[in-house]
Short mmCIF file of all heavy atoms in Angstrom, two decimals:
data_model
loop_
_atom_site.label_atom_id
_atom_site.label_comp_id
_atom_site.label_asym_id
_atom_site.label_seq_id
_atom_site.Cartn_x
_atom_site.Cartn_y
_atom_site.Cartn_z
N ILE C 1 -125.14 -75.21 93.61
CA ILE C 1 -125.91 -76.02 92.65
C ILE C 1 -125.17 -77.38 92.51
O ILE C 1 -125.78 -78.43 92.39
CB ILE C 1 -125.96 -75.19 91.41
CG1 ILE C 1 -127.13 -74.28 91.48
CG2 ILE C 1 -126.28 -76.15 90.16
CD1 ILE C 1 -127.37 -73.43 90.24
N LYS C 2 -123.80 -77.37 92.53
CA LYS C 2 -123.09 -78.59 92.36
C LYS C 2 -123.31 -79.56 93.56
O LYS C 2 -123.42 -80.81 93.43
CB LYS C 2 -121.58 -78.30 92.24
CG LYS C 2 -121.18 -77.72 90.96
CD LYS C 2 -119.64 -77.39 90.94
CE LYS C 2 -119.23 -76.67 89.65
NZ LYS C 2 -117.87 -76.27 89.65
N MET C 3 -123.59 -78.94 94.80
CA MET C 3 -123.85 -79.77 95.84
C MET C 3 -125.35 -80.46 95.93
O MET C 3 -125.58 -81.51 96.08
CB MET C 3 -123.64 -79.01 97.14
CG MET C 3 -124.01 -79.80 98.51
SD MET C 3 -123.61 -78.86 100.00
CE MET C 3 -121.84 -79.03 100.00
N LEU C 4 -126.29 -79.46 95.54
CA LEU C 4 -127.61 -79.85 95.64
C LEU C 4 -128.08 -80.64 94.38
O LEU C 4 -129.02 -81.41 94.45
CB LEU C 4 -128.48 -78.69 95.82
CG LEU C 4 -128.48 -77.95 97.15
CD1 LEU C 4 -129.44 -76.66 97.18
CD2 LEU C 4 -128.73 -78.81 98.31
N MET C 5 -127.49 -80.41 93.22
CA MET C 5 -127.83 -80.88 91.93
C MET C 5 -126.57 -81.55 91.40
O MET C 5 -126.16 -81.04 90.26
CB MET C 5 -128.56 -79.89 91.10
CG MET C 5 -129.61 -79.19 91.73
SD MET C 5 -130.19 -77.69 90.74
CE MET C 5 -131.32 -76.86 91.80
N PRO C 6 -126.05 -82.61 91.86
CA PRO C 6 -124.73 -83.14 91.36
C PRO C 6 -124.82 -83.55 89.90
O PRO C 6 -123.72 -83.74 89.31
CB PRO C 6 -124.39 -84.26 92.32
CG PRO C 6 -125.69 -84.57 92.95
CD PRO C 6 -126.48 -83.32 93.06
N ASP C 7 -126.03 -83.94 89.42
CA ASP C 7 -126.19 -84.59 88.05
C ASP C 7 -126.38 -83.40 87.08
O ASP C 7 -126.51 -83.82 85.83
CB ASP C 7 -127.15 -85.62 88.07
CG ASP C 7 -126.82 -86.83 89.01
OD1 ASP C 7 -125.70 -87.10 89.12
OD2 ASP C 7 -127.79 -87.40 89.57
N THR C 8 -126.58 -82.21 87.48
CA THR C 8 -126.94 -81.22 86.47
C THR C 8 -125.79 -80.76 85.62
O THR C 8 -124.58 -80.78 86.11
CB THR C 8 -127.60 -79.97 87.15
OG1 THR C 8 -128.05 -78.98 86.11
CG2 THR C 8 -126.50 -79.32 87.97
N ALA C 9 -125.91 -80.39 84.33
CA ALA C 9 -124.91 -79.93 83.55
C ALA C 9 -125.02 -78.33 83.54
O ALA C 9 -124.21 -77.68 82.84
CB ALA C 9 -125.16 -80.47 82.06
N LEU C 10 -125.87 -77.80 84.26
CA LEU C 10 -126.04 -76.32 84.25
C LEU C 10 -124.81 -75.68 84.89
O LEU C 10 -124.30 -76.00 85.99
CB LEU C 10 -127.22 -75.95 85.22
CG LEU C 10 -127.59 -74.40 85.34
CD1 LEU C 10 -127.96 -73.88 83.93
CD2 LEU C 10 -128.80 -74.29 86.30
N ASP C 11 -124.28 -74.70 84.29
CA ASP C 11 -123.07 -73.96 84.61
C ASP C 11 -123.50 -72.58 84.99
O ASP C 11 -123.92 -71.72 84.13
CB ASP C 11 -121.99 -73.99 83.55
CG ASP C 11 -120.70 -73.26 83.87
OD1 ASP C 11 -120.64 -72.76 84.99
OD2 ASP C 11 -119.81 -73.39 83.06
N VAL C 12 -123.34 -72.23 86.34
CA VAL C 12 -123.66 -70.87 86.72
C VAL C 12 -122.47 -70.12 87.36
O VAL C 12 -122.62 -69.45 88.33
CB VAL C 12 -124.90 -70.82 87.70
CG1 VAL C 12 -126.20 -71.27 86.98
CG2 VAL C 12 -124.56 -71.77 88.87
N SER C 13 -121.26 -70.39 86.88
CA SER C 13 -120.09 -70.03 87.39
C SER C 13 -119.75 -68.53 87.10
O SER C 13 -119.02 -67.89 87.79
CB SER C 13 -118.82 -70.82 87.01
OG SER C 13 -118.75 -70.83 85.61
N THR C 14 -120.48 -67.89 86.26
CA THR C 14 -120.37 -66.46 85.94
C THR C 14 -121.75 -65.86 85.81
O THR C 14 -122.62 -66.59 85.37
CB THR C 14 -119.62 -66.23 84.70
OG1 THR C 14 -120.32 -66.63 83.46
CG2 THR C 14 -118.13 -67.02 84.64
N MET C 15 -121.80 -64.56 85.97
CA MET C 15 -123.15 -63.93 85.86
C MET C 15 -123.62 -64.01 84.33
O MET C 15 -124.85 -64.21 84.09
CB MET C 15 -123.00 -62.48 86.21
CG MET C 15 -124.36 -61.68 86.39
SD MET C 15 -125.36 -62.21 87.66
CE MET C 15 -124.51 -61.39 89.02
N GLN C 16 -122.70 -63.98 83.42
CA GLN C 16 -123.13 -64.08 81.96
C GLN C 16 -123.68 -65.48 81.80
O GLN C 16 -124.81 -65.51 81.11
CB GLN C 16 -121.90 -63.90 81.07
CG GLN C 16 -122.13 -64.02 79.68
CD GLN C 16 -122.96 -62.99 79.07
OE1 GLN C 16 -122.94 -61.76 79.45
NE2 GLN C 16 -123.93 -63.25 78.11
N LEU C 17 -123.21 -66.56 82.29
CA LEU C 17 -123.82 -67.87 82.13
C LEU C 17 -125.09 -67.95 82.74
O LEU C 17 -126.04 -68.60 82.32
CB LEU C 17 -122.79 -68.90 82.58
CG LEU C 17 -121.49 -69.06 81.77
CD1 LEU C 17 -120.53 -70.01 82.43
CD2 LEU C 17 -121.88 -69.73 80.39
N ILE C 18 -125.21 -67.36 84.08
CA ILE C 18 -126.46 -67.44 84.64
C ILE C 18 -127.59 -66.75 83.81
O ILE C 18 -128.67 -67.26 83.60
CB ILE C 18 -126.42 -66.63 86.05
CG1 ILE C 18 -125.57 -67.42 86.99
CG2 ILE C 18 -127.80 -66.32 86.62
CD1 ILE C 18 -125.31 -66.64 88.33
N ILE C 19 -127.25 -65.57 83.20
CA ILE C 19 -128.21 -64.91 82.34
C ILE C 19 -128.56 -65.69 81.16
O ILE C 19 -129.70 -65.91 80.76
CB ILE C 19 -127.71 -63.48 82.02
CG1 ILE C 19 -127.55 -62.58 83.21
CG2 ILE C 19 -128.55 -62.74 81.01
CD1 ILE C 19 -126.71 -61.38 82.96
N GLU C 20 -127.50 -66.33 80.55
CA GLU C 20 -127.80 -67.02 79.38
C GLU C 20 -128.58 -68.47 79.66
O GLU C 20 -129.24 -68.94 78.85
CB GLU C 20 -126.36 -67.47 78.69
CG GLU C 20 -125.69 -66.40 78.11
CD GLU C 20 -124.23 -66.80 77.57
OE1 GLU C 20 -123.91 -68.02 77.75
OE2 GLU C 20 -123.60 -65.90 77.02
N GLY C 21 -128.52 -68.77 80.90
CA GLY C 21 -129.23 -69.96 81.39
C GLY C 21 -130.67 -69.88 81.41
O GLY C 21 -131.48 -70.87 81.57
N GLY C 22 -131.25 -68.64 81.43
CA GLY C 22 -132.59 -68.36 81.22
C GLY C 22 -133.39 -68.87 82.46
O GLY C 22 -132.90 -68.87 83.52
N GLN C 23 -134.58 -69.32 82.18
CA GLN C 23 -135.50 -69.84 83.19
C GLN C 23 -134.95 -70.97 83.90
O GLN C 23 -135.28 -71.20 85.19
CB GLN C 23 -136.95 -70.08 82.57
CG GLN C 23 -138.03 -70.34 83.60
CD GLN C 23 -138.25 -69.11 84.57
OE1 GLN C 23 -138.09 -68.00 84.06
NE2 GLN C 23 -138.62 -69.33 85.85
N THR C 24 -134.29 -71.84 83.25
CA THR C 24 -133.66 -73.02 83.88
C THR C 24 -132.74 -72.66 84.98
O THR C 24 -132.68 -73.15 86.03
CB THR C 24 -133.01 -74.00 82.87
OG1 THR C 24 -133.92 -74.46 81.96
CG2 THR C 24 -132.34 -75.09 83.61
N ALA C 25 -131.95 -71.65 84.67
CA ALA C 25 -130.85 -71.23 85.65
C ALA C 25 -131.65 -70.41 86.81
O ALA C 25 -131.27 -70.67 88.01
CB ALA C 25 -129.97 -70.11 85.03
N LEU C 26 -132.64 -69.75 86.52
CA LEU C 26 -133.33 -68.95 87.59
C LEU C 26 -134.07 -69.91 88.56
O LEU C 26 -134.05 -69.77 89.77
CB LEU C 26 -134.44 -68.02 86.95
CG LEU C 26 -133.76 -66.77 86.29
CD1 LEU C 26 -134.95 -65.97 85.64
CD2 LEU C 26 -133.17 -65.93 87.34
N GLU C 27 -134.69 -71.07 87.94
CA GLU C 27 -135.28 -71.90 88.93
C GLU C 27 -134.28 -72.77 89.75
O GLU C 27 -134.58 -72.94 90.98
CB GLU C 27 -136.07 -72.98 87.97
CG GLU C 27 -137.30 -72.33 87.34
CD GLU C 27 -138.01 -73.33 86.34
OE1 GLU C 27 -137.55 -74.42 86.14
OE2 GLU C 27 -138.96 -72.92 85.72
N ALA C 28 -133.19 -72.99 89.21
CA ALA C 28 -132.17 -73.61 89.93
C ALA C 28 -131.56 -72.75 91.10
O ALA C 28 -131.39 -73.13 92.23
CB ALA C 28 -130.90 -74.14 89.05
N LEU C 29 -131.44 -71.42 90.74
CA LEU C 29 -130.95 -70.50 91.68
C LEU C 29 -131.96 -70.34 92.84
O LEU C 29 -131.64 -70.12 94.01
CB LEU C 29 -130.61 -69.17 91.13
CG LEU C 29 -129.40 -69.08 90.15
CD1 LEU C 29 -129.35 -67.65 89.54
CD2 LEU C 29 -128.09 -69.41 90.92
N SER C 30 -133.22 -70.31 92.41
CA SER C 30 -134.37 -70.08 93.51
C SER C 30 -134.25 -71.33 94.43
O SER C 30 -134.51 -71.12 95.72
CB SER C 30 -135.72 -70.07 92.76
OG SER C 30 -135.79 -68.91 91.98
N ALA C 31 -133.96 -72.49 93.98
CA ALA C 31 -133.93 -73.65 94.77
C ALA C 31 -132.74 -73.49 95.83
O ALA C 31 -132.86 -73.90 97.00
CB ALA C 31 -133.75 -74.94 94.00
N VAL C 32 -131.60 -73.21 95.33
CA VAL C 32 -130.43 -73.09 96.27
C VAL C 32 -130.59 -71.85 97.19
O VAL C 32 -130.06 -71.96 98.31
CB VAL C 32 -129.13 -72.94 95.42
CG1 VAL C 32 -128.87 -74.27 94.49
CG2 VAL C 32 -128.98 -71.68 94.62
N VAL C 33 -131.18 -70.72 96.72
CA VAL C 33 -131.46 -69.73 97.69
C VAL C 33 -132.31 -70.15 98.80
O VAL C 33 -132.12 -69.79 99.97
CB VAL C 33 -131.99 -68.46 96.97
CG1 VAL C 33 -132.53 -67.40 97.80
CG2 VAL C 33 -130.94 -67.84 96.05
N ALA C 34 -133.48 -70.84 98.40
CA ALA C 34 -134.39 -71.37 99.32
C ALA C 34 -133.64 -72.26 100.46
O ALA C 34 -133.86 -72.17 101.66
CB ALA C 34 -135.52 -72.17 98.78
N ALA C 35 -132.73 -73.10 100.02
CA ALA C 35 -131.86 -73.97 100.81
C ALA C 35 -130.95 -73.09 101.71
O ALA C 35 -130.80 -73.48 102.87
CB ALA C 35 -131.10 -74.99 100.07
N GLY C 36 -130.41 -72.09 101.19
CA GLY C 36 -129.60 -71.23 101.86
C GLY C 36 -130.40 -70.46 102.98
O GLY C 36 -129.82 -70.36 104.09
N GLU C 37 -131.51 -70.08 102.55
CA GLU C 37 -132.32 -69.33 103.70
C GLU C 37 -132.72 -70.24 104.82
O GLU C 37 -132.92 -69.85 105.96
CB GLU C 37 -133.58 -68.77 102.99
CG GLU C 37 -133.30 -67.68 101.92
CD GLU C 37 -132.87 -66.30 102.47
OE1 GLU C 37 -132.53 -66.35 103.74
OE2 GLU C 37 -132.86 -65.34 101.74
N ALA C 38 -132.71 -71.57 104.48
CA ALA C 38 -133.19 -72.58 105.48
C ALA C 38 -131.88 -72.92 106.29
O ALA C 38 -132.13 -73.77 107.28
CB ALA C 38 -133.67 -73.78 104.76
N GLY C 39 -130.91 -72.37 105.97
CA GLY C 39 -129.66 -72.67 106.77
C GLY C 39 -128.94 -73.96 106.44
O GLY C 39 -128.04 -74.47 107.23
N GLU C 40 -129.17 -74.46 105.26
CA GLU C 40 -128.65 -75.73 104.82
C GLU C 40 -127.33 -75.66 104.24
O GLU C 40 -126.46 -76.70 103.99
CB GLU C 40 -129.63 -76.52 103.94
CG GLU C 40 -130.99 -76.76 104.48
CD GLU C 40 -131.96 -77.27 103.46
OE1 GLU C 40 -131.44 -77.73 102.37
OE2 GLU C 40 -133.08 -77.40 103.78
N LEU C 41 -126.84 -74.51 103.78
CA LEU C 41 -125.60 -74.35 103.08
C LEU C 41 -124.58 -73.35 103.65
O LEU C 41 -123.92 -72.58 102.94
CB LEU C 41 -125.95 -73.89 101.63
CG LEU C 41 -127.01 -74.71 100.86
CD1 LEU C 41 -127.40 -74.06 99.52
CD2 LEU C 41 -126.28 -76.10 100.55
N LYS C 42 -124.50 -73.35 104.91
CA LYS C 42 -123.66 -72.46 105.63
C LYS C 42 -122.16 -72.57 105.18
O LYS C 42 -121.44 -71.56 105.21
CB LYS C 42 -123.81 -72.67 107.23
CG LYS C 42 -125.09 -72.20 107.63
CD LYS C 42 -125.20 -72.36 109.32
CE LYS C 42 -126.59 -72.09 109.75
NZ LYS C 42 -126.70 -72.27 111.20
#
């Protein structure tokens, strides 16, 4: 997320923070997973 979204204040460094991040965190994670599946973040 820091690489793909350098201006975001979203902190997903722990599972607890991911859960607390709610839909915003899930949408950000979906984006980075899609990039990972595309081979962009090896």
Side-chain angles (χ1 to χ4, degrees):
I1 283 180
K2 288 177 182 178
M3 176 176 286
L4 293 181
M5 308 171 189
D7 297 327
T8 185
L10 182 65
D11 185 351
V12 293
S13 57
T14 69
M15 189 71 74
Q16 181 65 40
L17 288 171
I18 290 173
I19 297 169
E20 291 175 359
Q23 190 61 33
T24 299
L26 285 174
E27 290 174 359
L29 289 178
S30 294
V32 300
V33 167
E37 296 288 11
E40 299 175 13
L41 302 171
K42 293 181 180 179

